[in-house]
Amino acid sequence: MRDLFWKLLEPEHPKAEAFCRKLMRNREEGDDLYQDALLLALRNFGSLKDHESFRPWLYRIIVNGYKSRFRRPWWRRHATLTPKLEETRSTGDPDGQLTARRWLERAFEGLTPEESTLVTLFELEEWNTAELARLYRISEGAVRARLFRSRRKMRQTIDRFISQNETSNRIKEADYALPRGETSSE
Amino acid sequence: MRCHEAKRLLNEGDINNRELVKHLNDCSDCAREAKAAGLIHRSLDSLRQQDQPTPTPFADIRARVESHPAANTRKESSRMAELTHKLTARKKLSFGLGLAMAALLFFTLVPFSYDRVVGYDLEISGIEPGNMINIDPVIMGMTGLGYDNISISTNYSSTETSVWITGLPHEKAAQEASAVFATLTGLEGKSEYTPKVEAVSGSLYAQVKENLFSVEITVSGETPEEMKASVEAQLESMGMTGGEAVVTQDGDQMQIEITIPGSDE
Ligand SMILES: [Zn+2]
C-alpha cells in the first residue's frame, strides 16, 4: 500500500513541492507544509478509493493544510516589506524578479487563502479551469468567477498601494522596474 | 467605451485593446487600474520565467516522511482507541515582526467517530386538548422564512395535544418555529427542541475533505483562556463533542494541544 502511495506521488513530487514553496513564499515553510501534507496523505491513503484522483486529492490536502495555517490573513505576518525593498535596491535586481515578487506579495494581500491557492495554481502552476474545478469541487463557471474576483481584488490592492504611496512620494520609478516587452495580451 | 467595459477588458488581461487604450487616456481612474493590472501581469510573467528551485530528491523526501513518528502510528491506534497519538509532531507557525509570538499547534488526533448535528426537532407539548390544529398556516409561515423542508405532525390525546416540527436546520430555526406556531395558531404549549445527531465514522481524510478540521486561532490579544474557549467552541460547532484544548504559555511560546475523545474505529 505504501509503495503504491510513493509510486503515485513520484511524478507529482517536484510540482507539488514547488507549489507549497510558492504558497508559503518561503522555502522552509513551504517544505514544512509539504511534509505535513504528505504525512496526512500517507496515513489516509487507504481511504482514497479512486487512484486516478490522486492528484486532486493530494492538492486538496495541501490547500486545506495551507488554509488551516493561515486562517489569519497572512499579510499581517509579512507586515513589513520595507526592509526587503531597501535590500533589493542596494544589491540590484537585474531580472526584476525580486521586484516582481514584491508586487505579487502586495497583490496577494487582498486575497483570502482560498483565492491565493487558486491564483497560484492557475497563474503560476498552469492548471486549467477543469482541473481546478475538480480540485475545489466546484463548477468550471465558479472557478472562472473566483478567478475574476481575485484578479479584481489584486488590481484594487495594487491600485490602492500606488495611490497611497505616490502621494507621499514613497515609491520611486525604480520600484516599477520590471522587464517590459513581451507582455501583450494573454 | 465606458469604465465598466474597460474594467472587464482589464480583468481579462486584454490590455492592448485599442478602444481600451483610448479610454485610458481620458480616464485617470481606469488608467490607474490599468497600471496595476500591468504590474501584476508583468510580475506573474517574470515569476513564470524564473528557474524552479531544485526539488528535494524524491528518495530523501520519502525517507524523511517514512521515518517520521506520525507516519507510523496508525496500526497501534486502532487497537488502543483510548490512546492519544500526536498526528503532527510540530506545526510551527512563524509570525512577522510585531508579532513576536510563535504558536505551536499540537493536534492530537485519535481515530474516532464523531457526531454531527444535522438538524433540530421541535416538540410543542401540553397544548389544551380539543383543538384541531390547522398546520397549513404554520407551514406557510415557515416557508416564508426560508425553511422549506419542515414537516409537522400532530398528536391528539384526551389530556393534551402535541406537535412535532422536524427538518429545522439550526437552533434559531427551532426558536422561530416555536414563535411562528404560537402566533399563527394562537395556541400555547411547552416548546422543547432537540438536536438530531448523525454519527459519522471518522477517518481523518473524511474530515479534511469535509473541511471540518480547520480551527481558527487568533494569536494576538487573546488570553490562553479565551483561546481555549474559542477553540473548544469551534470543535463543538464542527460536531466534535467533548473536544478539549489545552493552552499553555511559556515565555513567548504558545502551545495549543487539541484532543478529541476517541471511540473505536
Ligand atoms: Zn474609466
Side-chain angles (χ1 to χ4, degrees), chain B residues 153-211:
Chain B
S153 59
T154 42
N155 182 19
Y156 302 99
S157 78
S158 56
T159 52
E160 66 157 337
T161 298
S162 55
V163 175
W164 275 94
I165 304 179
T166 58
L168 298 160
H170 40 68
E171 275 183 86
K172 188 165 159 269
Q175 289 158 0
E176 284 174 334
S178 170
V180 164
F181 179 83
T183 317
L184 297 180
T185 63
L187 296 170
E188 285 199 10
K190 181 169 165 270
S191 289
E192 234 175 319
Y193 53 87
T194 42
K196 234 169 138 171
V197 170
E198 185 183 88
V200 181
S201 77
S203 83
L204 183 59
Y205 169 53
Q207 298 151 54
V208 171
K209 196 175 72 182
E210 293 185 47
N211 226 339

Side-chain angles (χ1 to χ4, degrees), chain B residues 3 23 27 30:
Chain B
C3 292
H23 178 82
C27 175
C30 287

Side-chain angles (χ1 to χ4, degrees), chain B residues 131-149:
Chain B
N131 294 302
M132 281 303 281
I133 300 171
N134 181 6
I135 58 172
D136 290 340
V138 181
I139 292 184
M140 294 296 285
M142 289 304 285
T143 309
L145 289 174
Y147 306 115
D148 38 21
N149 271 324

Side-chain angles (χ1 to χ4, degrees), chain A residues 93-104 173-183, chain B residues 35-47:
Chain A
D93 179 20
D95 306 327
Q97 277 176 356
L98 285 168
T99 315
R101 196 179 285 275
R102 222 168 49 224
W103 280 115
L104 280 186
E173 257 322 292
D175 291 334
Y176 301 117
L178 280 169
R180 292 186 181 259
E182 68 296 310
T183 53
Chain B
K35 191 174 181 180
L39 272 167
I40 294 169
H41 195 82
R42 292 201 304 278
S43 298
L44 286 168
D45 262 358
S46 161
L47 283 200

Side-chain angles (χ1 to χ4, degrees), chain A residues 2-113:
Chain A
R2 285 200 168 185
D3 284 340
L4 180 58
F5 173 84
W6 293 110
K7 201 178 140 216
L8 291 170
L9 179 69
E10 193 160 12
E12 304 293 342
H13 164 66
K15 289 222 143 210
E17 189 185 50
F19 172 57
C20 290
R21 290 173 180 172
K22 277 179 201 161
L23 271 184
M24 303 297 285
R25 294 180 176 71
N26 170 317
R27 186 178 171 142
E28 253 161 57
E29 286 181 47
D31 288 355
D32 216 40
L33 171 68
Y34 186 52
Q35 181 178 310
D36 281 356
L38 289 188
L39 282 166
L40 204 59
L42 180 62
R43 284 174 59 99
N44 292 282
F45 182 57
S47 65
L48 177 68
K49 299 284 174 286
D50 169 20
H51 293 160
E52 296 279 291
S53 306
F54 183 78
R55 188 173 194 226
W57 175 74
L58 175 70
Y59 276 76
R60 212 170 290 134
I61 293 177
I62 295 175
V63 167
N64 269 302
Y66 175 73
K67 282 199 315 203
S68 65
R69 280 164 195 237
F70 293 97
R71 272 318 177 79
R72 278 180 66 71
W74 64 266
W75 66 89
R76 298 218 180 125
R77 293 167 303 100
H78 289 256
T80 151
L81 291 161
T82 336
K84 276 195 225 157
L85 200 140
E86 296 305 329
E87 184 189 318
T88 312
R89 222 178 263 149
S90 56
T91 55
D93 179 20
D95 306 327
Q97 277 176 356
L98 285 168
T99 315
R101 196 179 285 275
R102 222 168 49 224
W103 280 115
L104 280 186
E105 277 199 18
R106 278 193 192 107
F108 272 87
E109 282 173 12
L111 301 183
T112 64

